[in-house]
Amino acid sequence: MWQSSPPGSIYDYIKVASFSIGPDGLIEQWSRRAAGLFGVAAHEAVGKDPVEAFIPDELRQDGRRRIGEVLDGKEWTGLVPFRMPGEDGVHGLAEIYVMPSETASGERAAVCIVVDVRALRLIETDLAASQAIFGQSPFGFVLFGIDLAVVRANQRFATVFGGRAEDHRGRTVDDYLTGVEADRLTATLEHVLATGDSVTDLQLVGTLPGDTVRRHWSMNLYRVHSGSGRPVGIAGLATDVTRRHIAAREAASARRNLALLNEASARIGNSLDLETTARELLDVAVPGFCDLASVDLYQALLTGEETPPGTGGSLRREAVGGSAELRRVAFASAVSDVLPDTETDTGTGTDAGLDNVLDDGPGPGPAEPRTARAPALGAVHHYSFGSPCAIALRTGHVEDVPGDDRGFVQSTLAVPLVAHDTVVGLVQFSRTKGSEPFGERDRSLASELAARAAVCIDNARLYRREHERALILQRSLLPPGDPEAAGLDIACRYLPGNTATEVGGDWFDVIELPGHRTALVVGDVMGRGLRAAVAMGELRTAVRTLALLDLEPAEVLSALDEVARGLGTPGAGTSSDAGGGAQWPSRAAHKSREADLSEVYLATCVYVVYDPVTRRCTFANAGHLPPVVVEPGEAALLLDVPPGMPLGVGGEPFEEVEVELKEGALLALYTDGLVESRDHPLDEGLEALRGALVEPARPLEDVCDHVLSSLDTRHGEDDIALLMARIQGLPADAVGDWRLPREPRSVGRARELARSRLIAWDLDDLVDTTELLVSELVTNALRYGEGEIRLRLLRDRTLVCEVWDAGLVQPRRRRARDTDEGGRGLQLVGLLSAAWGSRRTPRGKTVWFELPLPDGRPAAERTVEELLSMF
């Protein structure tokens, strides 16, 4: 079949030419390829001697001899140098095949075939290099034709996919890849063939013949052209990057795990609440690490017992029947829309795939795995002895839990929560079908997440225990029930900080004093926690002790300051708010969680003594916020009581301010949690408090509620104590007050006055006892006292009798000897009265006794032993 040679054929590369020599030894015919090779046109070459035209001078003699031999009928092949066309002085080297021929007339001639040796050597070198690269390459090399079938493949490619290199000719992409990957490679080959754009690092995934392991390849594709530029196929270089892919995946997994741990460090443990900490763990783990997760904590830990069941360095064996009781405190799912049936508790669902081995067996021994509903959120449960979860709790090691029977969960890790060699609970991480199963690296990450969460949970446990103890201590030191006082209507509120904040040292107290007087106390220990609560208890006890000594308010605070300084080392000084009027110390610097020992024993306190007879209040302040007074028809007023220094600082005396309050006036004492927070300064809080006390005539309980609901207290940030009292002085007809001269007949006069007043009060049952005791006290005042004598009777919830004189010597009860004729008066007073005592006054002293009002029942008679005890 005749066909024309297309451009770019092999002849174009090897530069083959021909010409003929006539019988006369001259060039007779000259081909076009010869013209191209030698650079001489046909009209210039025909008729010339080839030796003269193309052979160098030094070789011409040998050349004429060779031409003669050829014309004599001898074939000749050899290398002949020639001058390169257009290149002066440069010689080429041609391989010439000279074959004798005959003309039509029978004369001898010759046909010459010329090949450029230099071009031929270049082709040979290129072919050898191409063969070396193609055959010896460590990478899979494949050449696709324009029909996308394999034209050629090297041995490396054949080694990977099996068989010999020749066996792959004619195969297509579908013989190596399947599904989406085959379609993707075919589309890429078509694109490269159509556009000529090369493709680098095309990622392909497949499996080798007879293997199920997924392999990853990186493939570079480019279009191959002929010498004339015609596309003849696509060359592909494939590299197995499975190891690199695995390394990259592991590196990405390591980075993801590190990021997860960093996130865990930032998000877990921000709260000192057990349940919140458990939820924070699951917020980090789902869905970043797993699809489902749950946290179970020991019930004993949640109920506040000292030691959870899995404790001690031993991580000891659980109960014989299985694990101890646990409570499910947290659950999270990233696939809640496809969860199987779950048990619910108040609308909260949990995944049944998390717990497929629950305990209902009678005793020890491996339990048969079965599918069971997971415990509801908040439910108390336990695991059977042989279950992976129970084993994890006993050993403190991570255990694998089999997937559920319904095929929803394919991989679960049961990870014990271990803190300080104490197992506090269990966390389960689960992955559903379609997710990658847990590997060894995942086990390590799960252990690390659980360990971090366990430490935070244990800290929350310890904090909760301390918080509850401090709260119990704090509440036990507050006045029980609704305090009562003569001439006062009292209402109080105490709001401790929430569980997210530590217990503070706020306290208030209502103390009954002799003479139906009342001491109102509000204080605040600087600092938080159990230490602050203990310090508060010590100071409150000291206040009560000092109050019963009936000291003046300033003296009480001075003595209390000495007590506080004895409890701890004073801290640094305090700051104060600038502004007109009194300077009130700022509390912000002292309400720090990191309160040190010196701050714990610094405290502020306001101490008020109210006399219902005169309606006078005597105030003394140790660095506390000012009392608020609201008189009928008037706006609320901050009393200008000199604040003094906080208790524990020392060095400065305390001042007293005496204020007479109107009937129906309202007095409010409070701690800074009511008026100060991070969001607004103290001045705004005090102004808001004044604005909330606009209806003082309302019931006092309603006034307290209105204040708490009106003020932006940010409750939970700090404790709040509020003590309110409405002034209700004793009626004039409930007071008997007389002055007696210093003479013997005043004893009889005192008895007469007491008798007549008791009869007027319908207290006839108390006449005899009162006359006897008044006679004893007035007699003692005449015998041992000085100056004028004053007798006062007060009737309220009890009857109080006071005898005043100017003497400074306090009466002292003593036991009289059998031979003594006196010395038994105070013993008699103590025996017949409910209480008695004495106190100093600005001008002497007061001796008093108290009798309960009759309740209709006969008075208890004194026994002989009680009467004889005076002798």
Side-chain angles (χ1 to χ4, degrees), residues 659-697:
V659 178
E660 182 176 346
L661 301 178
K662 296 181 180 178
E663 185 78 18
L666 191 64
L667 174 65
L669 306 177
Y670 51 93
T671 57
D672 61 340
L674 182 68
V675 294
E676 186 178 21
S677 72
R678 298 187 183 97
D679 299 325
H680 58 260
L682 177 61
D683 290 343
E684 292 182 6
L686 292 174
E687 192 62 31
L689 175 59
R690 292 180 58 196
L693 296 172
V694 292
E695 299 181 41

Short mmCIF file of all heavy atoms in Angstrom, two decimals, residues 659-697:
data_model
loop_
_atom_site.label_atom_id
_atom_site.label_comp_id
_atom_site.label_asym_id
_atom_site.label_seq_id
_atom_site.Cartn_x
_atom_site.Cartn_y
_atom_site.Cartn_z
N VAL A 659 -27.98 58.59 118.03
CA VAL A 659 -29.05 59.19 117.23
C VAL A 659 -30.38 58.77 117.84
O VAL A 659 -30.60 57.59 118.13
CB VAL A 659 -28.98 58.72 115.76
CG1 VAL A 659 -30.13 59.32 114.96
CG2 VAL A 659 -27.64 59.10 115.14
N GLU A 660 -31.26 59.75 118.06
CA GLU A 660 -32.62 59.45 118.53
C GLU A 660 -33.52 59.33 117.31
O GLU A 660 -33.62 60.25 116.50
CB GLU A 660 -33.13 60.55 119.45
CG GLU A 660 -34.52 60.24 120.00
CD GLU A 660 -35.01 61.28 121.00
OE1 GLU A 660 -34.17 62.10 121.45
OE2 GLU A 660 -36.21 61.30 121.30
N LEU A 661 -34.19 58.18 117.19
CA LEU A 661 -35.01 57.89 116.02
C LEU A 661 -36.48 58.05 116.36
O LEU A 661 -36.91 57.79 117.49
CB LEU A 661 -34.75 56.46 115.52
CG LEU A 661 -33.30 56.16 115.12
CD1 LEU A 661 -33.16 54.70 114.70
CD2 LEU A 661 -32.83 57.08 114.00
N LYS A 662 -37.25 58.48 115.37
CA LYS A 662 -38.67 58.68 115.57
C LYS A 662 -39.40 57.34 115.57
O LYS A 662 -38.92 56.34 115.03
CB LYS A 662 -39.24 59.57 114.47
CG LYS A 662 -38.68 60.99 114.47
CD LYS A 662 -39.31 61.82 113.36
CE LYS A 662 -38.75 63.25 113.37
NZ LYS A 662 -39.33 64.05 112.25
N GLU A 663 -40.57 57.35 116.15
CA GLU A 663 -41.41 56.17 116.13
C GLU A 663 -41.75 55.82 114.68
O GLU A 663 -42.16 56.66 113.90
CB GLU A 663 -42.70 56.42 116.93
CG GLU A 663 -43.59 55.22 117.07
CD GLU A 663 -43.08 54.26 118.14
OE1 GLU A 663 -42.25 54.67 118.97
OE2 GLU A 663 -43.53 53.09 118.13
N GLY A 664 -41.56 54.54 114.33
CA GLY A 664 -41.85 54.09 112.97
C GLY A 664 -40.68 54.25 112.01
O GLY A 664 -40.82 53.88 110.83
N ALA A 665 -39.58 54.79 112.47
CA ALA A 665 -38.41 54.94 111.60
C ALA A 665 -37.87 53.55 111.22
O ALA A 665 -38.04 52.56 111.94
CB ALA A 665 -37.34 55.77 112.28
N LEU A 666 -37.18 53.52 110.07
CA LEU A 666 -36.64 52.26 109.55
C LEU A 666 -35.12 52.34 109.55
O LEU A 666 -34.54 53.32 109.07
CB LEU A 666 -37.15 52.02 108.13
CG LEU A 666 -36.90 50.64 107.52
CD1 LEU A 666 -37.66 49.58 108.30
CD2 LEU A 666 -37.34 50.64 106.06
N LEU A 667 -34.47 51.31 110.10
CA LEU A 667 -33.02 51.23 110.14
C LEU A 667 -32.58 50.02 109.32
O LEU A 667 -33.09 48.92 109.51
CB LEU A 667 -32.53 51.10 111.59
CG LEU A 667 -31.03 50.86 111.78
CD1 LEU A 667 -30.21 52.05 111.30
CD2 LEU A 667 -30.72 50.56 113.25
N ALA A 668 -31.62 50.23 108.40
CA ALA A 668 -31.14 49.15 107.54
C ALA A 668 -29.63 49.01 107.69
O ALA A 668 -28.89 49.99 107.53
CB ALA A 668 -31.50 49.42 106.08
N LEU A 669 -29.18 47.79 108.01
CA LEU A 669 -27.77 47.44 108.04
C LEU A 669 -27.56 46.34 107.00
O LEU A 669 -28.40 45.45 106.83
CB LEU A 669 -27.36 46.93 109.42
CG LEU A 669 -27.68 47.85 110.62
CD1 LEU A 669 -27.28 47.17 111.92
CD2 LEU A 669 -26.98 49.19 110.47
N TYR A 670 -26.41 46.33 106.30
CA TYR A 670 -26.23 45.45 105.15
C TYR A 670 -24.75 45.23 104.89
O TYR A 670 -23.89 45.93 105.47
CB TYR A 670 -26.88 46.09 103.91
CG TYR A 670 -26.42 47.52 103.70
CD1 TYR A 670 -25.34 47.81 102.87
CD2 TYR A 670 -27.03 48.59 104.38
CE1 TYR A 670 -24.90 49.11 102.71
CE2 TYR A 670 -26.60 49.88 104.23
CZ TYR A 670 -25.53 50.15 103.40
OH TYR A 670 -25.08 51.43 103.25
N THR A 671 -24.46 44.28 104.04
CA THR A 671 -23.08 44.05 103.60
C THR A 671 -22.92 44.51 102.16
O THR A 671 -23.90 44.81 101.47
CB THR A 671 -22.69 42.57 103.71
OG1 THR A 671 -23.61 41.77 102.95
CG2 THR A 671 -22.71 42.11 105.16
N ASP A 672 -21.67 44.56 101.70
CA ASP A 672 -21.39 45.18 100.40
C ASP A 672 -21.93 44.38 99.22
O ASP A 672 -22.06 44.91 98.12
CB ASP A 672 -19.89 45.40 100.22
CG ASP A 672 -19.11 44.09 100.25
OD1 ASP A 672 -19.63 43.09 100.77
OD2 ASP A 672 -17.98 44.08 99.75
N GLY A 673 -22.22 43.08 99.40
CA GLY A 673 -22.78 42.32 98.29
C GLY A 673 -24.10 42.87 97.81
O GLY A 673 -24.51 42.61 96.68
N LEU A 674 -24.81 43.66 98.65
CA LEU A 674 -26.08 44.24 98.27
C LEU A 674 -25.92 45.44 97.35
O LEU A 674 -26.79 45.71 96.51
CB LEU A 674 -26.85 44.65 99.53
CG LEU A 674 -28.26 45.23 99.33
CD1 LEU A 674 -29.20 44.16 98.81
CD2 LEU A 674 -28.77 45.81 100.64
N VAL A 675 -24.81 46.18 97.47
CA VAL A 675 -24.70 47.47 96.78
C VAL A 675 -23.48 47.58 95.87
O VAL A 675 -23.33 48.59 95.19
CB VAL A 675 -24.68 48.62 97.81
CG1 VAL A 675 -26.00 48.70 98.56
CG2 VAL A 675 -23.52 48.45 98.80
N GLU A 676 -22.62 46.56 95.85
CA GLU A 676 -21.40 46.69 95.07
C GLU A 676 -21.19 45.42 94.24
O GLU A 676 -21.39 44.31 94.73
CB GLU A 676 -20.19 46.92 95.98
CG GLU A 676 -18.89 47.21 95.22
CD GLU A 676 -17.73 47.48 96.16
OE1 GLU A 676 -17.81 47.05 97.33
OE2 GLU A 676 -16.76 48.11 95.74
N SER A 677 -20.79 45.60 92.97
CA SER A 677 -20.47 44.48 92.10
C SER A 677 -19.45 44.96 91.08
O SER A 677 -19.06 46.13 91.06
CB SER A 677 -21.72 43.94 91.40
OG SER A 677 -22.16 44.85 90.41
N ARG A 678 -19.03 44.03 90.20
CA ARG A 678 -18.06 44.40 89.17
C ARG A 678 -18.65 45.38 88.16
O ARG A 678 -17.91 46.10 87.49
CB ARG A 678 -17.58 43.14 88.42
CG ARG A 678 -16.86 42.14 89.29
CD ARG A 678 -16.29 41.03 88.42
NE ARG A 678 -15.64 40.00 89.21
CZ ARG A 678 -16.22 38.88 89.58
NH1 ARG A 678 -17.48 38.66 89.22
NH2 ARG A 678 -15.57 37.98 90.28
N ASP A 679 -19.98 45.38 88.02
CA ASP A 679 -20.61 46.16 86.95
C ASP A 679 -20.98 47.57 87.36
O ASP A 679 -21.26 48.40 86.49
CB ASP A 679 -21.86 45.43 86.46
CG ASP A 679 -21.53 44.05 85.90
OD1 ASP A 679 -20.45 43.92 85.30
OD2 ASP A 679 -22.34 43.13 86.07
N HIS A 680 -21.06 47.85 88.63
CA HIS A 680 -21.37 49.23 89.01
C HIS A 680 -20.64 49.57 90.31
O HIS A 680 -20.48 48.72 91.18
CB HIS A 680 -22.89 49.43 89.18
CG HIS A 680 -23.53 48.52 90.18
ND1 HIS A 680 -24.22 47.39 89.83
CD2 HIS A 680 -23.57 48.57 91.55
CE1 HIS A 680 -24.68 46.79 90.91
NE2 HIS A 680 -24.28 47.48 91.96
N PRO A 681 -20.21 50.84 90.44
CA PRO A 681 -19.43 51.24 91.62
C PRO A 681 -20.31 51.33 92.86
O PRO A 681 -21.54 51.26 92.81
CB PRO A 681 -18.88 52.61 91.21
CG PRO A 681 -19.82 53.12 90.17
CD PRO A 681 -20.34 51.92 89.45
N LEU A 682 -19.61 51.53 93.99
CA LEU A 682 -20.29 51.54 95.28
C LEU A 682 -21.27 52.71 95.38
O LEU A 682 -22.38 52.56 95.91
CB LEU A 682 -19.24 51.61 96.39
CG LEU A 682 -19.76 51.70 97.82
CD1 LEU A 682 -20.59 50.48 98.16
CD2 LEU A 682 -18.60 51.84 98.80
N ASP A 683 -20.87 53.88 94.89
CA ASP A 683 -21.76 55.05 95.02
C ASP A 683 -23.10 54.81 94.34
O ASP A 683 -24.15 55.18 94.86
CB ASP A 683 -21.09 56.29 94.41
CG ASP A 683 -19.91 56.76 95.26
OD1 ASP A 683 -19.85 56.35 96.44
OD2 ASP A 683 -19.07 57.52 94.75
N GLU A 684 -23.09 54.16 93.16
CA GLU A 684 -24.34 53.87 92.47
C GLU A 684 -25.18 52.89 93.26
O GLU A 684 -26.41 53.01 93.33
CB GLU A 684 -24.05 53.31 91.07
CG GLU A 684 -23.42 54.32 90.12
CD GLU A 684 -23.20 53.71 88.74
OE1 GLU A 684 -23.66 52.56 88.52
OE2 GLU A 684 -22.57 54.38 87.89
N GLY A 685 -24.54 51.89 93.86
CA GLY A 685 -25.27 50.92 94.65
C GLY A 685 -25.91 51.55 95.88
O GLY A 685 -27.06 51.23 96.22
N LEU A 686 -25.20 52.44 96.55
CA LEU A 686 -25.77 53.11 97.73
C LEU A 686 -26.95 54.00 97.34
O LEU A 686 -27.96 54.05 98.05
CB LEU A 686 -24.69 53.94 98.42
CG LEU A 686 -23.56 53.15 99.10
CD1 LEU A 686 -22.48 54.09 99.62
CD2 LEU A 686 -24.11 52.29 100.24
N GLU A 687 -26.83 54.68 96.21
CA GLU A 687 -27.93 55.53 95.75
C GLU A 687 -29.13 54.68 95.38
O GLU A 687 -30.29 55.05 95.64
CB GLU A 687 -27.47 56.36 94.55
CG GLU A 687 -28.43 57.47 94.17
CD GLU A 687 -28.60 58.51 95.28
OE1 GLU A 687 -27.63 58.72 96.05
OE2 GLU A 687 -29.70 59.08 95.38
N ALA A 688 -28.88 53.51 94.77
CA ALA A 688 -29.98 52.62 94.43
C ALA A 688 -30.67 52.08 95.68
O ALA A 688 -31.90 51.92 95.71
CB ALA A 688 -29.46 51.47 93.58
N LEU A 689 -29.90 51.82 96.74
CA LEU A 689 -30.48 51.36 98.00
C LEU A 689 -31.38 52.43 98.60
O LEU A 689 -32.50 52.14 99.06
CB LEU A 689 -29.38 50.97 98.98
CG LEU A 689 -29.83 50.57 100.38
CD1 LEU A 689 -30.78 49.37 100.32
CD2 LEU A 689 -28.62 50.25 101.25
N ARG A 690 -30.93 53.65 98.57
CA ARG A 690 -31.77 54.74 99.08
C ARG A 690 -33.06 54.85 98.27
O ARG A 690 -34.14 55.08 98.83
CB ARG A 690 -31.01 56.05 99.03
CG ARG A 690 -29.82 56.14 99.98
CD ARG A 690 -29.12 57.48 99.84
NE ARG A 690 -30.06 58.57 100.11
CZ ARG A 690 -29.85 59.85 99.76
NH1 ARG A 690 -28.74 60.18 99.11
NH2 ARG A 690 -30.74 60.77 100.05
N GLY A 691 -32.94 54.67 96.95
CA GLY A 691 -34.14 54.77 96.11
C GLY A 691 -35.11 53.63 96.33
O GLY A 691 -36.32 53.78 96.11
N ALA A 692 -34.60 52.46 96.77
CA ALA A 692 -35.48 51.31 96.99
C ALA A 692 -36.26 51.43 98.30
O ALA A 692 -37.27 50.75 98.48
CB ALA A 692 -34.66 50.01 97.00
N LEU A 693 -35.81 52.29 99.21
CA LEU A 693 -36.48 52.44 100.51
C LEU A 693 -37.42 53.64 100.47
O LEU A 693 -37.31 54.59 101.25
CB LEU A 693 -35.43 52.63 101.62
CG LEU A 693 -34.51 51.43 101.83
CD1 LEU A 693 -33.40 51.78 102.81
CD2 LEU A 693 -35.30 50.23 102.35
N VAL A 694 -38.37 53.60 99.54
CA VAL A 694 -39.27 54.74 99.36
C VAL A 694 -40.61 54.51 100.05
O VAL A 694 -41.39 55.44 100.19
CB VAL A 694 -39.50 55.01 97.85
CG1 VAL A 694 -38.22 55.52 97.21
CG2 VAL A 694 -40.00 53.76 97.14
N GLU A 695 -40.90 53.30 100.46
CA GLU A 695 -42.17 53.00 101.12
C GLU A 695 -41.89 52.30 102.44
O GLU A 695 -42.19 51.11 102.61
CB GLU A 695 -43.06 52.13 100.24
CG GLU A 695 -43.44 52.78 98.91
CD GLU A 695 -44.34 51.89 98.09
OE1 GLU A 695 -45.26 51.27 98.67
OE2 GLU A 695 -44.12 51.80 96.88
N PRO A 696 -41.32 53.00 103.40
CA PRO A 696 -40.94 52.33 104.67
C PRO A 696 -42.14 51.88 105.49
O PRO A 696 -41.99 51.09 106.41
CB PRO A 696 -40.15 53.43 105.39
CG PRO A 696 -40.68 54.71 104.83
CD PRO A 696 -41.01 54.44 103.40
N ALA A 697 -43.33 52.35 105.19
CA ALA A 697 -44.49 51.98 106.00
C ALA A 697 -45.02 50.60 105.64
O ALA A 697 -45.88 50.06 106.35
CB ALA A 697 -45.59 53.03 105.84
#
